[in-house]
Amino acid sequence: KTLKQGGTFVVEPRRLSKASAELRARGFGEITIPPSTETAEKQASRCTDCGVPFCQNACPLQNNIPDWLRLSAENEPREAWRVASLTSTMPEICGRICPQDRLCEGSCTLNQSGWDAVTIGSVEAWLGDQAFANGWVEPIRPAAERGETVGIVGAGPAGLAAADRLRCEGYQVTIYDRHDRAGGLLIYGIPGFKLEKHVVQRRVDRLIDGGVQFVLGCEVGKDVTLTELRDRHDVVLLAMGVYQPRILSAPGRGPDSTVAALSYLTHQNRRDLGDAEQDGWHEARGKRVVVIGGGDTAMDCVRTAVRQGAASVTCLYRRDRENMPGSAREVVNAEEEGVVFEWLAAPKALLSQSDQVTGVRAARMQLTEAAPGQRRDIVPVPGADFDVPADIVIEALGFSPEPFAAHEPDLHLRDDGTIKVGSVSFATSLPGVFAAGDAVRGASLVVWAVREGQDAAAEIDRYFKTRTEEVAA
Ligand code: FAD
Ligand code: SF4
């Protein structure tokens, strides 16, 4: 498309390049080809600095996008990075995996006026990669050490973001995680083709270098109790995400007839990291794969199955394309890679022979007229059921909180099991215990986990400083 700028018409590419679908299917590396400096600057220069920063308003971190785009376009990437780092503890990660089509880029004025949006996410990821490559990422060196300690449960983006901010203020921070690696879903959930693991590890390494302690392989509620952590630390922050998979309720579903999405993705991530061997249960090579669900997790499963060499991959989603919760960008990527989408298809039964799953029976659905102010509902089309053959059925139906929090009688929860916190304070019902991220919001986005981790850290800082003032008074 062409855009009039300063009286001349310029032609700009819409997207930074990605590898061909054929090449992508052969491995688990990121599909985006990093832009050259010239391309990134060109993209950044497409920002018209429209005066109303819709992109910034749509970003959960309120990133100062117009400013760092301008600085990038002016060949001042180091300064642009400084601005980007003020509001975000992991711009290079958000730049890679935010659903920008629903956030900053979706709101870009160019997009609203029929032009292609500035590719904000890819410029952000490029800036981060430049910063790490050129040594612009500042180490954490607090101006003064403080004696108070904070124990964080969960080394996902919420816990890591909070640790970063708290340690910068000089607090003594320990992160507990039941996994053997830090990163949460950034490491074991999200596949390498969206986010390569070294990108996460260098953030973790920076925290270790800055003095954050990690206690890995430690499950709170099993290896150590919350009460013990509260005795050990002045403040505890709960950032343990949501991990209870929702399961299919359909005739024919036995305990071993389906594979849980996160187990499938974690296994592949472990293989990529060199921890795990191929096993039959999590292996799609030569098999017909059916994935049930329409969110980001389902998209990651179908695309993982393609890379494992599945004979066919079909995604069943009960609503239509417009109403699916996953990022539209990921659906396009999946389609390019050969995934077949059955929209308006609700699983009705699992079919099997000799205890081996052979397929999924699905009801064809249709959308009803919407009641005023309500979403359109779906109802089955009579007599339109159909069967999809399958050797593996992967359930990707979302997650609820695990019962960990429910074992703490004085920790107040919402009906759905998420932790109740003060909307500004992030304080739970337990004195000195705060919570953030998916454990509070329910399954959400990385950028929201980062925002909440950062905000909770600011509240914890305020809590300590208020206490210090009270003691002094
Ligand atoms: P998590 O990232 O879940 O981290 C929680 C940590 O707590 C984990 O490391 C866990 O091991 C640990 N933990 C849990 N219980 C305990 C315990 N009892 N004791 C000790 N440790 C514990 N979002 C996007 O923005 N873009 C995407 O592309 C995207 N893709 C996704 C793909 C998948 C497959 C999934 C499942 C989610 C995806 N999301 C995506 C959502 C995003 O990953 C989450 O919203 C985000 O990671 C939440 O961060 P968190 O820190 O709250 O929790
Ligand atoms: Fe866009 Fe996400 Fe970056 Fe915000 S954090 S500017 S929403 S890519």
Side-chain angles (χ1 to χ4, degrees), residues 394-429:
I394 300 175
E395 285 176 316
L397 298 164
F399 303 92
S400 319
E402 282 180 312
F404 159 77
H407 295 323
E408 299 292 334
D410 295 325
L411 183 65
H412 294 174
L413 305 178
R414 297 194 194 87
D415 289 346
D416 64 0
T418 53
I419 302 170
K420 262 191 187 168
V421 292
S423 55
V424 178
S425 69
F426 291 89
T428 70
S429 53

PDB file of all heavy atoms in Angstrom, residues 394-429:
ATOM      1  N   ILE A 394      -5.926 -34.133  20.946  1.00  0.00           N
ATOM      2  CA  ILE A 394      -5.321 -33.233  21.946  1.00  0.00           C
ATOM      3  C   ILE A 394      -6.393 -32.271  22.455  1.00  0.00           C
ATOM      4  O   ILE A 394      -7.065 -31.611  21.654  1.00  0.00           O
ATOM      5  CB  ILE A 394      -4.135 -32.448  21.333  1.00  0.00           C
ATOM      6  CG1 ILE A 394      -3.063 -33.436  20.839  1.00  0.00           C
ATOM      7  CG2 ILE A 394      -3.540 -31.480  22.353  1.00  0.00           C
ATOM      8  CD1 ILE A 394      -1.900 -32.790  20.106  1.00  0.00           C
ATOM      9  N   GLU A 395      -6.529 -32.217  23.776  1.00  0.00           N
ATOM     10  CA  GLU A 395      -7.530 -31.333  24.378  1.00  0.00           C
ATOM     11  C   GLU A 395      -6.873 -30.000  24.738  1.00  0.00           C
ATOM     12  O   GLU A 395      -5.936 -29.972  25.540  1.00  0.00           O
ATOM     13  CB  GLU A 395      -8.072 -31.932  25.675  1.00  0.00           C
ATOM     14  CG  GLU A 395      -9.039 -33.065  25.476  1.00  0.00           C
ATOM     15  CD  GLU A 395      -9.433 -33.663  26.823  1.00  0.00           C
ATOM     16  OE1 GLU A 395      -8.550 -33.879  27.673  1.00  0.00           O
ATOM     17  OE2 GLU A 395     -10.619 -33.912  27.013  1.00  0.00           O
ATOM     18  N   ALA A 396      -7.375 -28.913  24.166  1.00  0.00           N
ATOM     19  CA  ALA A 396      -6.843 -27.574  24.472  1.00  0.00           C
ATOM     20  C   ALA A 396      -8.043 -26.682  24.787  1.00  0.00           C
ATOM     21  O   ALA A 396      -8.407 -25.802  24.018  1.00  0.00           O
ATOM     22  CB  ALA A 396      -6.050 -27.040  23.279  1.00  0.00           C
ATOM     23  N   LEU A 397      -8.646 -26.954  25.932  1.00  0.00           N
ATOM     24  CA  LEU A 397      -9.919 -26.312  26.265  1.00  0.00           C
ATOM     25  C   LEU A 397      -9.776 -25.254  27.351  1.00  0.00           C
ATOM     26  O   LEU A 397     -10.754 -24.820  27.942  1.00  0.00           O
ATOM     27  CB  LEU A 397     -10.926 -27.390  26.717  1.00  0.00           C
ATOM     28  CG  LEU A 397     -11.248 -28.420  25.631  1.00  0.00           C
ATOM     29  CD1 LEU A 397     -11.903 -29.651  26.215  1.00  0.00           C
ATOM     30  CD2 LEU A 397     -12.150 -27.796  24.577  1.00  0.00           C
ATOM     31  N   GLY A 398      -8.564 -24.889  27.655  1.00  0.00           N
ATOM     32  CA  GLY A 398      -8.352 -23.822  28.645  1.00  0.00           C
ATOM     33  C   GLY A 398      -7.948 -24.374  30.007  1.00  0.00           C
ATOM     34  O   GLY A 398      -7.843 -25.591  30.198  1.00  0.00           O
ATOM     35  N   PHE A 399      -7.705 -23.445  30.917  1.00  0.00           N
ATOM     36  CA  PHE A 399      -7.155 -23.806  32.231  1.00  0.00           C
ATOM     37  C   PHE A 399      -7.910 -23.090  33.348  1.00  0.00           C
ATOM     38  O   PHE A 399      -8.370 -21.976  33.170  1.00  0.00           O
ATOM     39  CB  PHE A 399      -5.682 -23.389  32.324  1.00  0.00           C
ATOM     40  CG  PHE A 399      -4.830 -24.000  31.245  1.00  0.00           C
ATOM     41  CD1 PHE A 399      -4.611 -23.324  30.053  1.00  0.00           C
ATOM     42  CD2 PHE A 399      -4.272 -25.255  31.413  1.00  0.00           C
ATOM     43  CE1 PHE A 399      -3.846 -23.882  29.043  1.00  0.00           C
ATOM     44  CE2 PHE A 399      -3.506 -25.822  30.415  1.00  0.00           C
ATOM     45  CZ  PHE A 399      -3.288 -25.138  29.224  1.00  0.00           C
ATOM     46  N   SER A 400      -7.963 -23.769  34.500  1.00  0.00           N
ATOM     47  CA  SER A 400      -8.489 -23.141  35.722  1.00  0.00           C
ATOM     48  C   SER A 400      -7.379 -23.185  36.761  1.00  0.00           C
ATOM     49  O   SER A 400      -6.396 -23.916  36.603  1.00  0.00           O
ATOM     50  CB  SER A 400      -9.667 -23.937  36.276  1.00  0.00           C
ATOM     51  OG  SER A 400     -10.487 -24.368  35.267  1.00  0.00           O
ATOM     52  N   PRO A 401      -7.551 -22.443  37.858  1.00  0.00           N
ATOM     53  CA  PRO A 401      -6.522 -22.499  38.912  1.00  0.00           C
ATOM     54  C   PRO A 401      -6.463 -23.889  39.534  1.00  0.00           C
ATOM     55  O   PRO A 401      -7.473 -24.579  39.624  1.00  0.00           O
ATOM     56  CB  PRO A 401      -7.013 -21.477  39.938  1.00  0.00           C
ATOM     57  CG  PRO A 401      -7.961 -20.609  39.193  1.00  0.00           C
ATOM     58  CD  PRO A 401      -8.584 -21.459  38.140  1.00  0.00           C
ATOM     59  N   GLU A 402      -5.286 -24.263  39.950  1.00  0.00           N
ATOM     60  CA  GLU A 402      -5.141 -25.530  40.671  1.00  0.00           C
ATOM     61  C   GLU A 402      -5.647 -25.355  42.098  1.00  0.00           C
ATOM     62  O   GLU A 402      -5.726 -24.243  42.592  1.00  0.00           O
ATOM     63  CB  GLU A 402      -3.663 -25.926  40.703  1.00  0.00           C
ATOM     64  CG  GLU A 402      -3.218 -26.514  39.397  1.00  0.00           C
ATOM     65  CD  GLU A 402      -1.758 -26.892  39.440  1.00  0.00           C
ATOM     66  OE1 GLU A 402      -0.951 -26.050  39.881  1.00  0.00           O
ATOM     67  OE2 GLU A 402      -1.425 -28.000  39.049  1.00  0.00           O
ATOM     68  N   PRO A 403      -5.910 -26.476  42.785  1.00  0.00           N
ATOM     69  CA  PRO A 403      -6.470 -26.324  44.130  1.00  0.00           C
ATOM     70  C   PRO A 403      -5.503 -25.795  45.176  1.00  0.00           C
ATOM     71  O   PRO A 403      -5.893 -25.534  46.295  1.00  0.00           O
ATOM     72  CB  PRO A 403      -6.912 -27.746  44.499  1.00  0.00           C
ATOM     73  CG  PRO A 403      -6.478 -28.635  43.435  1.00  0.00           C
ATOM     74  CD  PRO A 403      -5.876 -27.847  42.330  1.00  0.00           C
ATOM     75  N   PHE A 404      -4.213 -25.530  44.807  1.00  0.00           N
ATOM     76  CA  PHE A 404      -3.241 -25.055  45.797  1.00  0.00           C
ATOM     77  C   PHE A 404      -3.835 -23.955  46.686  1.00  0.00           C
ATOM     78  O   PHE A 404      -3.864 -24.042  47.902  1.00  0.00           O
ATOM     79  CB  PHE A 404      -1.984 -24.506  45.097  1.00  0.00           C
ATOM     80  CG  PHE A 404      -1.169 -23.558  45.944  1.00  0.00           C
ATOM     81  CD1 PHE A 404      -0.345 -24.048  46.939  1.00  0.00           C
ATOM     82  CD2 PHE A 404      -1.263 -22.189  45.775  1.00  0.00           C
ATOM     83  CE1 PHE A 404       0.395 -23.178  47.743  1.00  0.00           C
ATOM     84  CE2 PHE A 404      -0.532 -21.326  46.568  1.00  0.00           C
ATOM     85  CZ  PHE A 404       0.298 -21.822  47.555  1.00  0.00           C
ATOM     86  N   ALA A 405      -4.364 -22.924  46.005  1.00  0.00           N
ATOM     87  CA  ALA A 405      -4.856 -21.769  46.752  1.00  0.00           C
ATOM     88  C   ALA A 405      -6.029 -22.169  47.646  1.00  0.00           C
ATOM     89  O   ALA A 405      -6.216 -21.618  48.730  1.00  0.00           O
ATOM     90  CB  ALA A 405      -5.264 -20.682  45.778  1.00  0.00           C
ATOM     91  N   ALA A 406      -6.801 -23.163  47.182  1.00  0.00           N
ATOM     92  CA  ALA A 406      -7.976 -23.572  47.952  1.00  0.00           C
ATOM     93  C   ALA A 406      -7.589 -24.249  49.267  1.00  0.00           C
ATOM     94  O   ALA A 406      -8.407 -24.357  50.174  1.00  0.00           O
ATOM     95  CB  ALA A 406      -8.827 -24.515  47.101  1.00  0.00           C
ATOM     96  N   HIS A 407      -6.335 -24.725  49.378  1.00  0.00           N
ATOM     97  CA  HIS A 407      -5.899 -25.362  50.624  1.00  0.00           C
ATOM     98  C   HIS A 407      -5.531 -24.340  51.692  1.00  0.00           C
ATOM     99  O   HIS A 407      -5.160 -24.709  52.787  1.00  0.00           O
ATOM    100  CB  HIS A 407      -4.686 -26.279  50.367  1.00  0.00           C
ATOM    101  CG  HIS A 407      -5.025 -27.438  49.488  1.00  0.00           C
ATOM    102  ND1 HIS A 407      -6.232 -28.100  49.560  1.00  0.00           N
ATOM    103  CD2 HIS A 407      -4.331 -28.079  48.519  1.00  0.00           C
ATOM    104  CE1 HIS A 407      -6.261 -29.068  48.662  1.00  0.00           C
ATOM    105  NE2 HIS A 407      -5.116 -29.070  48.008  1.00  0.00           N
ATOM    106  N   GLU A 408      -5.570 -23.063  51.337  1.00  0.00           N
ATOM    107  CA  GLU A 408      -5.247 -22.012  52.316  1.00  0.00           C
ATOM    108  C   GLU A 408      -6.563 -21.373  52.732  1.00  0.00           C
ATOM    109  O   GLU A 408      -7.088 -20.497  52.044  1.00  0.00           O
ATOM    110  CB  GLU A 408      -4.332 -20.958  51.665  1.00  0.00           C
ATOM    111  CG  GLU A 408      -3.009 -21.488  51.181  1.00  0.00           C
ATOM    112  CD  GLU A 408      -2.108 -21.911  52.346  1.00  0.00           C
ATOM    113  OE1 GLU A 408      -2.272 -21.369  53.447  1.00  0.00           O
ATOM    114  OE2 GLU A 408      -1.265 -22.803  52.132  1.00  0.00           O
ATOM    115  N   PRO A 409      -7.142 -21.816  53.852  1.00  0.00           N
ATOM    116  CA  PRO A 409      -8.522 -21.414  54.176  1.00  0.00           C
ATOM    117  C   PRO A 409      -8.721 -19.904  54.299  1.00  0.00           C
ATOM    118  O   PRO A 409      -9.802 -19.414  54.012  1.00  0.00           O
ATOM    119  CB  PRO A 409      -8.802 -22.120  55.511  1.00  0.00           C
ATOM    120  CG  PRO A 409      -7.485 -22.634  56.007  1.00  0.00           C
ATOM    121  CD  PRO A 409      -6.548 -22.704  54.856  1.00  0.00           C
ATOM    122  N   ASP A 410      -7.678 -19.165  54.693  1.00  0.00           N
ATOM    123  CA  ASP A 410      -7.888 -17.733  54.887  1.00  0.00           C
ATOM    124  C   ASP A 410      -7.547 -16.903  53.649  1.00  0.00           C
ATOM    125  O   ASP A 410      -7.626 -15.676  53.685  1.00  0.00           O
ATOM    126  CB  ASP A 410      -7.048 -17.243  56.083  1.00  0.00           C
ATOM    127  CG  ASP A 410      -7.537 -17.902  57.369  1.00  0.00           C
ATOM    128  OD1 ASP A 410      -8.767 -18.116  57.475  1.00  0.00           O
ATOM    129  OD2 ASP A 410      -6.695 -18.236  58.223  1.00  0.00           O
ATOM    130  N   LEU A 411      -7.151 -17.597  52.590  1.00  0.00           N
ATOM    131  CA  LEU A 411      -6.865 -16.886  51.341  1.00  0.00           C
ATOM    132  C   LEU A 411      -8.166 -16.812  50.543  1.00  0.00           C
ATOM    133  O   LEU A 411      -8.703 -17.839  50.115  1.00  0.00           O
ATOM    134  CB  LEU A 411      -5.790 -17.648  50.558  1.00  0.00           C
ATOM    135  CG  LEU A 411      -5.302 -17.021  49.266  1.00  0.00           C
ATOM    136  CD1 LEU A 411      -4.571 -15.697  49.529  1.00  0.00           C
ATOM    137  CD2 LEU A 411      -4.346 -17.977  48.533  1.00  0.00           C
ATOM    138  N   HIS A 412      -8.684 -15.623  50.359  1.00  0.00           N
ATOM    139  CA  HIS A 412      -9.992 -15.494  49.702  1.00  0.00           C
ATOM    140  C   HIS A 412      -9.868 -15.659  48.186  1.00  0.00           C
ATOM    141  O   HIS A 412      -8.988 -15.053  47.561  1.00  0.00           O
ATOM    142  CB  HIS A 412     -10.629 -14.146  50.023  1.00  0.00           C
ATOM    143  CG  HIS A 412     -10.980 -14.014  51.479  1.00  0.00           C
ATOM    144  ND1 HIS A 412     -11.457 -12.867  52.035  1.00  0.00           N
ATOM    145  CD2 HIS A 412     -10.915 -14.917  52.500  1.00  0.00           C
ATOM    146  CE1 HIS A 412     -11.669 -13.059  53.326  1.00  0.00           C
ATOM    147  NE2 HIS A 412     -11.339 -14.296  53.630  1.00  0.00           N
ATOM    148  N   LEU A 413     -10.760 -16.483  47.662  1.00  0.00           N
ATOM    149  CA  LEU A 413     -10.755 -16.765  46.215  1.00  0.00           C
ATOM    150  C   LEU A 413     -12.069 -16.317  45.600  1.00  0.00           C
ATOM    151  O   LEU A 413     -13.087 -16.197  46.285  1.00  0.00           O
ATOM    152  CB  LEU A 413     -10.609 -18.272  45.978  1.00  0.00           C
ATOM    153  CG  LEU A 413      -9.408 -18.971  46.626  1.00  0.00           C
ATOM    154  CD1 LEU A 413      -9.451 -20.469  46.323  1.00  0.00           C
ATOM    155  CD2 LEU A 413      -8.101 -18.363  46.138  1.00  0.00           C
ATOM    156  N   ARG A 414     -12.047 -16.119  44.286  1.00  0.00           N
ATOM    157  CA  ARG A 414     -13.297 -15.882  43.575  1.00  0.00           C
ATOM    158  C   ARG A 414     -13.936 -17.245  43.286  1.00  0.00           C
ATOM    159  O   ARG A 414     -13.300 -18.287  43.475  1.00  0.00           O
ATOM    160  CB  ARG A 414     -13.039 -15.156  42.251  1.00  0.00           C
ATOM    161  CG  ARG A 414     -12.433 -13.791  42.443  1.00  0.00           C
ATOM    162  CD  ARG A 414     -12.502 -12.956  41.167  1.00  0.00           C
ATOM    163  NE  ARG A 414     -11.630 -11.804  41.300  1.00  0.00           N
ATOM    164  CZ  ARG A 414     -10.328 -11.812  40.995  1.00  0.00           C
ATOM    165  NH1 ARG A 414      -9.755 -12.895  40.516  1.00  0.00           N
ATOM    166  NH2 ARG A 414      -9.604 -10.727  41.168  1.00  0.00           N
ATOM    167  N   ASP A 415     -15.159 -17.233  42.782  1.00  0.00           N
ATOM    168  CA  ASP A 415     -15.865 -18.501  42.518  1.00  0.00           C
ATOM    169  C   ASP A 415     -15.094 -19.387  41.543  1.00  0.00           C
ATOM    170  O   ASP A 415     -15.153 -20.605  41.600  1.00  0.00           O
ATOM    171  CB  ASP A 415     -17.257 -18.224  41.927  1.00  0.00           C
ATOM    172  CG  ASP A 415     -18.171 -17.639  42.988  1.00  0.00           C
ATOM    173  OD1 ASP A 415     -17.810 -17.721  44.182  1.00  0.00           O
ATOM    174  OD2 ASP A 415     -19.222 -17.068  42.602  1.00  0.00           O
ATOM    175  N   ASP A 416     -14.355 -18.770  40.616  1.00  0.00           N
ATOM    176  CA  ASP A 416     -13.626 -19.582  39.629  1.00  0.00           C
ATOM    177  C   ASP A 416     -12.255 -20.047  40.150  1.00  0.00           C
ATOM    178  O   ASP A 416     -11.478 -20.645  39.410  1.00  0.00           O
ATOM    179  CB  ASP A 416     -13.459 -18.805  38.311  1.00  0.00           C
ATOM    180  CG  ASP A 416     -12.590 -17.544  38.477  1.00  0.00           C
ATOM    181  OD1 ASP A 416     -12.113 -17.276  39.604  1.00  0.00           O
ATOM    182  OD2 ASP A 416     -12.397 -16.837  37.468  1.00  0.00           O
ATOM    183  N   GLY A 417     -11.962 -19.762  41.416  1.00  0.00           N
ATOM    184  CA  GLY A 417     -10.708 -20.255  42.008  1.00  0.00           C
ATOM    185  C   GLY A 417      -9.540 -19.293  41.883  1.00  0.00           C
ATOM    186  O   GLY A 417      -8.470 -19.548  42.441  1.00  0.00           O
ATOM    187  N   THR A 418      -9.716 -18.188  41.150  1.00  0.00           N
ATOM    188  CA  THR A 418      -8.618 -17.208  41.074  1.00  0.00           C
ATOM    189  C   THR A 418      -8.545 -16.451  42.412  1.00  0.00           C
ATOM    190  O   THR A 418      -9.514 -16.414  43.172  1.00  0.00           O
ATOM    191  CB  THR A 418      -8.839 -16.213  39.909  1.00  0.00           C
ATOM    192  OG1 THR A 418     -10.153 -15.655  40.048  1.00  0.00           O
ATOM    193  CG2 THR A 418      -8.723 -16.898  38.577  1.00  0.00           C
ATOM    194  N   ILE A 419      -7.374 -15.855  42.661  1.00  0.00           N
ATOM    195  CA  ILE A 419      -7.142 -15.226  43.968  1.00  0.00           C
ATOM    196  C   ILE A 419      -7.714 -13.810  43.974  1.00  0.00           C
ATOM    197  O   ILE A 419      -7.469 -13.030  43.045  1.00  0.00           O
ATOM    198  CB  ILE A 419      -5.631 -15.193  44.275  1.00  0.00           C
ATOM    199  CG1 ILE A 419      -5.066 -16.621  44.258  1.00  0.00           C
ATOM    200  CG2 ILE A 419      -5.367 -14.534  45.629  1.00  0.00           C
ATOM    201  CD1 ILE A 419      -3.541 -16.687  44.318  1.00  0.00           C
ATOM    202  N   LYS A 420      -8.451 -13.496  45.034  1.00  0.00           N
ATOM    203  CA  LYS A 420      -8.999 -12.135  45.171  1.00  0.00           C
ATOM    204  C   LYS A 420      -7.917 -11.201  45.672  1.00  0.00           C
ATOM    205  O   LYS A 420      -7.252 -11.516  46.660  1.00  0.00           O
ATOM    206  CB  LYS A 420     -10.109 -12.150  46.229  1.00  0.00           C
ATOM    207  CG  LYS A 420     -11.495 -12.248  45.699  1.00  0.00           C
ATOM    208  CD  LYS A 420     -12.484 -11.972  46.821  1.00  0.00           C
ATOM    209  CE  LYS A 420     -13.884 -12.227  46.330  1.00  0.00           C
ATOM    210  NZ  LYS A 420     -14.841 -12.257  47.427  1.00  0.00           N
ATOM    211  N   VAL A 421      -7.751 -10.074  44.973  1.00  0.00           N
ATOM    212  CA  VAL A 421      -6.790  -9.065  45.447  1.00  0.00           C
ATOM    213  C   VAL A 421      -7.454  -7.695  45.376  1.00  0.00           C
ATOM    214  O   VAL A 421      -8.435  -7.509  44.637  1.00  0.00           O
ATOM    215  CB  VAL A 421      -5.503  -9.020  44.574  1.00  0.00           C
ATOM    216  CG1 VAL A 421      -4.682 -10.280  44.719  1.00  0.00           C
ATOM    217  CG2 VAL A 421      -5.819  -8.730  43.113  1.00  0.00           C
ATOM    218  N   GLY A 422      -6.903  -6.747  46.107  1.00  0.00           N
ATOM    219  CA  GLY A 422      -7.355  -5.368  45.959  1.00  0.00           C
ATOM    220  C   GLY A 422      -7.000  -4.915  44.558  1.00  0.00           C
ATOM    221  O   GLY A 422      -5.890  -5.188  44.083  1.00  0.00           O
ATOM    222  N   SER A 423      -7.922  -4.220  43.876  1.00  0.00           N
ATOM    223  CA  SER A 423      -7.677  -3.954  42.450  1.00  0.00           C
ATOM    224  C   SER A 423      -6.468  -3.042  42.231  1.00  0.00           C
ATOM    225  O   SER A 423      -5.853  -3.079  41.169  1.00  0.00           O
ATOM    226  CB  SER A 423      -8.918  -3.365  41.797  1.00  0.00           C
ATOM    227  OG  SER A 423      -9.303  -2.230  42.518  1.00  0.00           O
ATOM    228  N   VAL A 424      -6.092  -2.248  43.202  1.00  0.00           N
ATOM    229  CA  VAL A 424      -4.904  -1.413  43.059  1.00  0.00           C
ATOM    230  C   VAL A 424      -3.756  -1.958  43.900  1.00  0.00           C
ATOM    231  O   VAL A 424      -2.598  -1.946  43.490  1.00  0.00           O
ATOM    232  CB  VAL A 424      -5.217   0.042  43.473  1.00  0.00           C
ATOM    233  CG1 VAL A 424      -3.969   0.907  43.385  1.00  0.00           C
ATOM    234  CG2 VAL A 424      -6.322   0.620  42.604  1.00  0.00           C
ATOM    235  N   SER A 425      -4.084  -2.515  45.067  1.00  0.00           N
ATOM    236  CA  SER A 425      -3.027  -2.890  46.022  1.00  0.00           C
ATOM    237  C   SER A 425      -2.383  -4.250  45.728  1.00  0.00           C
ATOM    238  O   SER A 425      -1.298  -4.537  46.207  1.00  0.00           O
ATOM    239  CB  SER A 425      -3.605  -2.926  47.433  1.00  0.00           C
ATOM    240  OG  SER A 425      -4.514  -4.016  47.537  1.00  0.00           O
ATOM    241  N   PHE A 426      -3.083  -5.116  44.982  1.00  0.00           N
ATOM    242  CA  PHE A 426      -2.632  -6.493  44.733  1.00  0.00           C
ATOM    243  C   PHE A 426      -2.490  -7.287  46.037  1.00  0.00           C
ATOM    244  O   PHE A 426      -1.899  -8.350  46.063  1.00  0.00           O
ATOM    245  CB  PHE A 426      -1.320  -6.546  43.936  1.00  0.00           C
ATOM    246  CG  PHE A 426      -1.497  -6.079  42.524  1.00  0.00           C
ATOM    247  CD1 PHE A 426      -1.360  -4.747  42.195  1.00  0.00           C
ATOM    248  CD2 PHE A 426      -1.855  -6.971  41.526  1.00  0.00           C
ATOM    249  CE1 PHE A 426      -1.568  -4.300  40.902  1.00  0.00           C
ATOM    250  CE2 PHE A 426      -2.062  -6.544  40.231  1.00  0.00           C
ATOM    251  CZ  PHE A 426      -1.918  -5.197  39.916  1.00  0.00           C
ATOM    252  N   ALA A 427      -3.033  -6.751  47.120  1.00  0.00           N
ATOM    253  CA  ALA A 427      -2.958  -7.441  48.411  1.00  0.00           C
ATOM    254  C   ALA A 427      -4.067  -8.486  48.486  1.00  0.00           C
ATOM    255  O   ALA A 427      -5.210  -8.230  48.102  1.00  0.00           O
ATOM    256  CB  ALA A 427      -3.126  -6.426  49.540  1.00  0.00           C
ATOM    257  N   THR A 428      -3.719  -9.681  48.992  1.00  0.00           N
ATOM    258  CA  THR A 428      -4.729 -10.721  49.203  1.00  0.00           C
ATOM    259  C   THR A 428      -5.328 -10.545  50.593  1.00  0.00           C
ATOM    260  O   THR A 428      -4.983  -9.611  51.328  1.00  0.00           O
ATOM    261  CB  THR A 428      -4.094 -12.131  49.110  1.00  0.00           C
ATOM    262  OG1 THR A 428      -3.256 -12.311  50.266  1.00  0.00           O
ATOM    263  CG2 THR A 428      -3.282 -12.311  47.850  1.00  0.00           C
ATOM    264  N   SER A 429      -6.163 -11.493  50.981  1.00  0.00           N
ATOM    265  CA  SER A 429      -6.774 -11.433  52.322  1.00  0.00           C
ATOM    266  C   SER A 429      -5.775 -11.800  53.409  1.00  0.00           C
ATOM    267  O   SER A 429      -6.052 -11.603  54.589  1.00  0.00           O
ATOM    268  CB  SER A 429      -7.978 -12.383  52.370  1.00  0.00           C
ATOM    269  OG  SER A 429      -7.561 -13.681  51.950  1.00  0.00           O
TER     270      SER A 429
END
